[in-house]
Amino acid sequence: RVPMGPLSLLLALSLLSPRGSAGGSCPPRCVCASNLLSCSQANLSAVPALLPHFTAVLDLSHNNVTRLRADWAPARLPHLHALLLSHNGLAFVSTEAFTHVPRLRHLDLSSNRLRTLDENLFSDLGELEVLLLYNNEITTVDRTAFENLGRLRKLYLGQNRIARFPLELLREGTRLPQLALLDLSANRLRAVPAGELQALPAWLRDRLYLHNNPLACDCLLFQLLDRGHRRHLSAVVDFQDELRCVLPGAPASIKILALAGQQPLNCSKAQEAVLEAHLGDSVTLGCDSRWQGVRSRHWVTPGGERVLGDGGNGSAVLLANGSLQLRALRPEDAGTYACWVAGPLLNETLYVELLVHNFTLHGPHDTLNTAYTTLVGCILSVVLVLIYLYLTPCRCCCCRGTEKPPAPRDDSINSSVLSTTPNHAGGTGEPCGSHMASGAGTGQNGRFKGGGTPPLPARQGPKAQRKVSDPDSVSSVFSDTPIVV
């Protein structure tokens, strides 16, 4: 019996030691079931100090844990994969609070009083898949707060006070590569980059919740949601009544999907997928399915040909990501292509319309289309008509054949200050050729007169000495020939 005393004492000490308590004892005011610890509604102001090392799920919700320091878990908890801290009035979380729980996959910090998400706050949680931060007082989100969360699939940030969320985390696709759900509903977002969001894959837009935000009405936003509604995306179809926006000067918000044709924006519906190209180009048609776990894809050309690999003529190639690449486009390649997707739940068919212009993008100038050629022809015709009407030179005597003799004009001045050489005789007109050959003579003052007219016969009477001028002579105000009256 004496040798058994020290053994019993050692056993009792091992059970009372902190290590022994952490190994298998259930903390006070908690309920333990296998590797599940439920300390909910236990009126705790701090995390229990001694937690079993085999703990996999720890529920601390509905308590008064207002601060989560770095030493809340003094020992490493390698099996902990779910931590529930909702409804605690939590206002502070240390950036080193998750150092000892690297295997955490589910973290619930919802319904607390968090105001900021600081730099690298969750960087130690490389295996985190679900993060719940809804119903807090968050106003600022640092773009590095979700650094190293390569496996994060669901991020809930609804019912906060966020005025700007770093959506570049989604655009880059490297920081959160597996993110499939982002809840930004019921915040204070006034604008979102609709063009960039449209470029996101459909399986992410299917779970991008933006309802109950004071968004400013915009046609790009309308077209983004209109495409989602036609694609039956859950984030749009399920919350189409809560997707509202504010027009400038309007007293109340309106439904975004009701902006089509409404003043003052007068937004038009956008086509689902239309791609324009030119002869000889190479294009890639994307198969933007809303299913992530796609089992198989295949394309059907406008001619009804099914494309599984290389096309029959070698111009159509099915890429590894499900896209269809068309090389050296021809006019017959234009039309509507269909992508058949076999998803994990349902099948989906996507349609892409390809327009092939019948001229090359960088071709010569003679490859103008018909409309442009017609327009240029009309303009040239108008210009020529105007030139003919207003810029045609006056006809001269040299362009005439036989002239009628001018009628004698009595008691009138037959000369003009615009006449170069007044003619003193009248007669029958001659063709221009005869004027140059035989009508040349010497004019007044001994000057040479090349286009004179034959003299008229003398008239009787007191006015017999008057002369008549040639009404068709070329006139000039610079003539030095005296005027005869």
Side-chain angles (χ1 to χ4, degrees), residues 45-77:
S45 58
V47 180
L50 304 176
L51 297 173
H53 73 280
F54 56 78
T55 303
V57 178
L58 178 58
D59 184 3
L60 295 169
S61 60
H62 296 276
N63 283 289
N64 297 316
V65 182
T66 59
R67 302 177 68 86
L68 191 65
R69 301 181 181 274
D71 57 351
W72 72 271
R76 188 180 180 89
L77 300 175

Side-chain angles (χ1 to χ4, degrees), residues 380-429:
L380 290 178
S381 300
V382 172
V383 172
L384 291 176
V385 170
L386 293 176
I387 292 176
Y388 177 77
L389 292 177
Y390 297 102
L391 299 181
T392 303
C394 299
R395 287 176 292 180
C396 64
C397 65
C398 297
C399 302
R400 300 188 178 188
T402 304
E403 297 289 344
K404 293 183 179 181
R409 300 179 183 179
D410 297 335
D411 301 328
S412 64
I413 300 176
N414 291 313
S415 62
S416 172
V417 293
L418 300 179
S419 176
T420 305
T421 306
N423 296 320
H424 304 290
T428 304

Side-chain angles (χ1 to χ4, degrees), residues 286-287 297-300 322 337-341 348-352:
C287 188
R297 288 187 179 95
H298 72 270
W299 286 84
V300 177
Y337 291 77
C339 178
W340 297 77
V341 180
E348 186 180 13
T349 305
L350 306 177
Y351 297 95
V352 180

Side-chain angles (χ1 to χ4, degrees), residues 99-117:
T99 303
H100 292 160
V101 288
R103 300 292 181 87
L104 205 62
R105 298 196 303 270
H106 184 101
L107 177 59
D108 186 359
L109 298 175
S110 63
S111 299
N112 283 293
R113 295 180 181 176
L114 297 175
R115 295 186 177 181
T116 60
L117 299 181

Side-chain angles (χ1 to χ4, degrees), residues 169-239:
L169 301 179
L170 309 180
R171 182 180 67 247
E172 296 172 1
T174 56
R175 299 186 182 182
L176 301 174
Q178 297 188 22
L179 188 65
L181 186 151
L182 176 59
D183 180 15
L184 292 172
S185 62
N187 275 280
R188 298 180 179 179
L189 298 175
R190 296 187 178 274
V192 292
E196 297 180 7
L197 295 182
Q198 179 60 39
L200 296 176
W203 50 263
L204 180 52
R205 284 185 281 123
D206 189 37
R207 295 292 187 272
L208 178 59
Y209 298 98
L210 297 171
H211 56 277
N212 289 332
N213 275 285
L215 296 170
C217 292
D218 182 76
C219 285
L220 291 178
L221 178 63
F222 162 74
Q223 293 176 354
L224 170 69
L225 299 180
D226 183 60
R227 289 191 184 99
H229 188 266
R230 283 183 288 170
R231 290 285 302 275
H232 303 286
L233 301 184
S234 301
V236 179
V237 176
D238 296 341
F239 298 94

